[in-house]
Amino acid sequence: MAEQILILDFGSQYTQLIARRVRELNIYCEIHPYNHIPEIGENVKGLILSGSPCSVREKDAPQVDLSPFRGKIPVLGVCYGAQYMANANGGEVLPSEIREYGRAHLVNFNQQNALFQGVKENSQVWMSHGDTIARLPENFEGIASTPSVQVAAYHIKGEETYGIQFHPEVTHSEDGATILKNFAVDICSCKQEWTPESFVETTVSELKKQLGNDQVVLGLSGGVDSSVAAMLLHKAIGGNLHCIFVDNGLLRKNEFEDVLASYKGMGLNVVGVDAKDKFYAALHGISDPEGKRKAIGRVFIEVFDDEAHRIQDVKWLGQGTIYPDIIESVSVKGPSATIKSHHNVGGLPDFMKLQVVEPLKSLFKDEVRRVGKSLDIDPAILGRHPFPGPGLGIRILGEVTPEKVHILQEVDYLFIQGLKKHGLYDFVWQAGAVLLPVQSVGVMGDERTYESVVALRAVSSVDGMTADWCHLPYEFLGEVSNDIINKVKGVNRVVYDISSKPPATIEWE
Ligand code: XMP
């Protein structure tokens, strides 16, 4: 088992960021809810207690028994984590007289302390708390202040336990990364050996052990996650991995052929299934977005199941589930931790009775990309914009017909090719076109036209949870709009979507 730092989550919005910062140091770490602590093995080298929206002064504030950890492995409490340890050991935590949010500067800090090696005097840190540690318990020593907070950090004498009332994980804390590195590398003695290459090596050897000579089926989507999952499985079990790539008739122009060719080039054992007609038949007469999603999901499972049954003795379903699909900040107010149930590939068909293997379930998206790069996966696959499972089906507002799919494929193609040609594709997180159920009057030559309107959408985002519209150059938008109207029969007007999420969403349906 790889060395790791364990993060106990008390529900802070920043918990995932702590994990990311630790992993950026090439040290593996996992987040677990404070009330679902896993068994601790020798490989756990240190513990971080996260922040929380709760106050330690509330009656039902999250509690945790730290006796299995303290004095045995190093512990770092961040914000609530720091206040919790101070409060639980006889110190005093009171509401702050002034609200401590935003920028502050570290002063009077103990430069000899291992936690602060290399930290600059006056270093900016980010505060976000309504309580403050007013008095430290015996045996705790203050090791840093800010102009308004006496105890910005402390150390418990005789053990490697620390508390900091600011957030080292946010980029506004200038020396936050140094402080986390001091904790994880110098104090916990983690070796910084968790790299994409080491991940591939350990994962492949674990998959070999787990799967033996079993047959595995996996649905490819053309996206990053399923492609990387497939390559890892392929490295582990070779020809025992059977990939299925379904053409649901709602893919981008040429996508089925292009993606299939690049998978075959990667040596994957992949079957392409042309099921367009089944999907179009199921979508006939349905205009409601959820109805369309359900129909697409149902047919996908039918087609996938049919193909999977052709594989003899298949025992496992491979999935490209990633870490954010599995973890979600613990619901600290609830009676127990609620963890997001995840679904991928349209949901696991229960009737298939397959066991699930998810080789990427501990990785964030950018880590999946780095692993993909170390596996030499085509950069065109690794850099692809996200694309929804129901595809163009939810970008054709109203009923889906093959004719409308054809129009939208052409429009989308010109837009995406245009972005690539102008070097804009990689600056955009996701882009696509939407066919509106609206016709508008136009004029072409001497003729009046009455044809469809399309909307172009391009957004910047980190994870799709929030997004902003991209400020694409007017010249580019003008050129693409001209191109679309001139080349795509049936479209005489192009608009650009300038809504952010929230309140709008990325997709229109
Ligand atoms: P929204 O529209 O919710 O989209 O802002 C956020 C991200 O999710 C994708 N999306 C979907 N993906 N099935 C999927 O697999 C869906 O039904 C679906 N709806 C939205 C969307 O493309 C964006 O990346």
Side-chain angles (χ1 to χ4, degrees):
M1 289 270 266
E3 284 186 345
Q4 67 161 278
I5 300 274
L6 179 67
I7 300 171
L8 287 190
D9 181 25
F10 291 104
S12 164
Q13 57 178 325
Y14 298 130
T15 308
Q16 285 201 26
L17 262 188
I18 302 179
R20 307 197 59 124
R21 297 288 170 262
V22 173
R23 287 174 176 213
E24 282 164 12
L25 297 165
N26 293 337
I27 296 168
Y28 183 60
C29 66
E30 281 182 8
I31 301 173
H32 291 270
Y34 73 94
N35 49 0
H36 280 66
I37 305 178
E39 224 171 275
I40 304 301
E42 295 256 300
N43 60 324
V44 177
K45 299 288 180 200
L47 177 73
I48 297 179
L49 308 176
S50 85
S52 174
C54 298
S55 157
V56 295
R57 294 173 301 102
E58 289 167 13
K59 254 202 347 273
D60 55 356
Q63 309 280 326
V64 62
D65 175 15
L66 293 177
S67 58
F69 306 102
R70 271 188 51 194
K72 297 180 183 102
I73 56 170
V75 178
L76 176 66
V78 173
C79 205
Y80 178 93
Q83 292 164 355
Y84 175 77
M85 287 193 286
N87 189 57
N89 288 283
E92 195 170 21
V93 174
L94 295 174
S96 316
E97 276 170 23
I98 42 165
R99 288 166 74 79
E100 287 157 3
Y101 290 104
R103 267 167 252 282
H105 293 88
L106 285 184
V107 291
N108 299 331
F109 65 86
N110 178 349
Q111 308 213 353
Q112 304 312 312
N113 194 286
L115 200 60
F116 289 127
Q117 292 304 302
V119 175
K120 298 180 291 295
E121 182 72 28
N122 257 324
S123 181
Q124 177 180 295
V125 291
W126 196 256
M127 296 284 193
S128 175
H129 49 96
D131 283 348
T132 200
I133 300 172
R135 185 172 49 77
L136 282 173
E138 241 179 80
N139 241 3
F140 284 44
E141 54 175 343
I143 53 171
S145 306
T146 71
S148 55
V149 178
Q150 175 67 26
V151 184
Y154 64 73
H155 170 225
I156 304 184
K157 291 181 201 160
E159 50 183 280
E160 295 288 14
T161 301
Y162 301 83
I164 49 184
Q165 285 211 88
F166 53 89
H167 288 274
E169 66 278 19
V170 303
T171 47
H172 304 286
S173 289
E174 283 170 344
D175 288 317
T178 304
I179 292 170
L180 283 173
K181 179 166 185 256
N182 290 341
F183 178 71
V185 178
D186 298 328
I187 298 173
C188 300
S189 309
C190 288
K191 291 203 275 294
Q192 296 186 277
E193 288 175 344
W194 190 71
T195 57
E197 292 74 23
S198 74
F199 173 84
V200 170
E201 200 181 305
T202 35
T203 306
V204 168
S205 98
E206 281 164 13
L207 287 171
K208 278 185 179 158
K209 266 193 242 141
Q210 185 183 11
L211 302 170
N213 205 25
D214 290 352
Q215 308 291 316
V216 179
V217 62
L218 178 137
L220 287 170
S221 68
V224 181
D225 303 343
S226 65
S227 307
V228 176
M231 277 310 278
L232 281 169
L233 284 159
H234 176 71
K235 250 180 126 62
I237 60 168
N240 285 354
L241 173 70
H242 306 265
C243 301
I244 298 173
F245 181 37
V246 177
D247 185 356
N248 58 9
L250 306 163
L251 302 174
R252 296 193 138 119
K253 181 176 172 178
N254 299 339
E255 187 166 15
F256 187 61
E257 297 75 16
D258 290 353
V259 172
L260 204 54
S262 63
Y263 282 143
K264 292 205 166 134
M266 281 152 57
L268 292 177
N269 175 7
V270 47
V271 177
V273 186
D274 177 357
K276 288 199 277 290
D277 293 342
K278 284 193 181 143
F279 283 89
Y280 292 150
L283 284 165
H284 182 76
I286 307 179
S287 303
D288 169 55
E290 284 316 299
K292 291 196 284 185
R293 278 191 171 80
K294 282 206 180 100
I296 296 167
R298 193 189 66 239
V299 179
F300 179 84
I301 288 172
E302 282 166 21
V303 172
F304 188 81
D305 184 47
D306 262 5
E307 282 305 315
H309 268 104
R310 292 175 210 266
I311 305 161
Q312 278 212 322
D313 294 333
V314 59
K315 286 216 177 73
W316 297 84
L317 176 75
Q319 290 198 300
T321 316
I322 65 170
Y323 203 37
D325 297 331
I326 289 180
I327 47 164
E328 190 173 61
S329 237
V330 51
S331 155
V332 286
K333 300 276 184 192
S336 66
T338 48
I339 301 181
K340 191 160 72 175
S341 63
H342 61 276
H343 48 86
N344 224 324
V345 207
L348 169 65
D350 288 339
F351 57 86
M352 287 175 67
K353 306 260 183 298
L354 297 175
Q355 297 179 76
V356 181
V357 53
E358 297 170 313
L360 305 177
K361 67 170 187 274
S362 63
L363 299 188
F364 290 109
K365 190 87 176 182
D366 52 328
E367 294 169 342
V368 174
R369 287 212 171 90
R370 264 179 273 143
V371 167
K373 199 162 165 224
S374 87
L375 287 165
D376 281 333
I377 294 182
D378 186 350
I381 289 188
L382 296 180
R384 291 178 71 165
H385 290 171
F387 188 64
L392 301 182
I394 53 167
R395 292 185 181 166
I396 292 169
L397 306 197
E399 188 184 353
V400 177
T401 63
E403 296 71 34
K404 289 185 193 169
V405 170
H406 176 73
I407 292 177
L408 189 57
Q409 279 179 336
E410 295 300 319
V411 172
D412 177 80
Y413 182 78
L414 293 173
F415 183 33
I416 301 294
Q417 289 307 108
L419 286 169
K420 287 183 177 163
K421 193 173 98 193
H422 285 80
L424 294 165
Y425 185 83
D426 292 335
F427 292 99
V428 170
W429 190 78
Q430 184 172 16
V434 184
L435 182 64
L436 307 188
V438 173
Q439 291 194 303
S440 83
V441 173
V443 54
M444 276 194 194
D446 291 333
E447 299 274 315
R448 262 169 83 85
T449 59
Y450 191 59
E451 293 180 328
S452 294
V453 184
V454 292
L456 304 183
R457 180 104 167 108
V459 295
S460 58
S461 179
V462 177
D463 50 16
M465 303 295 283
T466 58
D468 199 5
W469 61 279
C470 288
H471 295 220
L472 295 177
Y474 281 173
E475 295 69 27
F476 167 75
L477 287 170
E479 191 181 308
V480 167
S481 163
N482 253 337
D483 214 21
I484 291 171
I485 294 172
N486 285 336
K487 293 187 181 153
V488 187
K489 207 162 169 301
V491 174
N492 69 354
R493 198 175 291 266
V494 175
V495 297
Y496 186 57
D497 183 350
I498 56 167
S499 337
S500 61
K501 172 185 180 175
T505 49
I506 296 175
E507 304 295 345
W508 279 43
E509 280 196 334

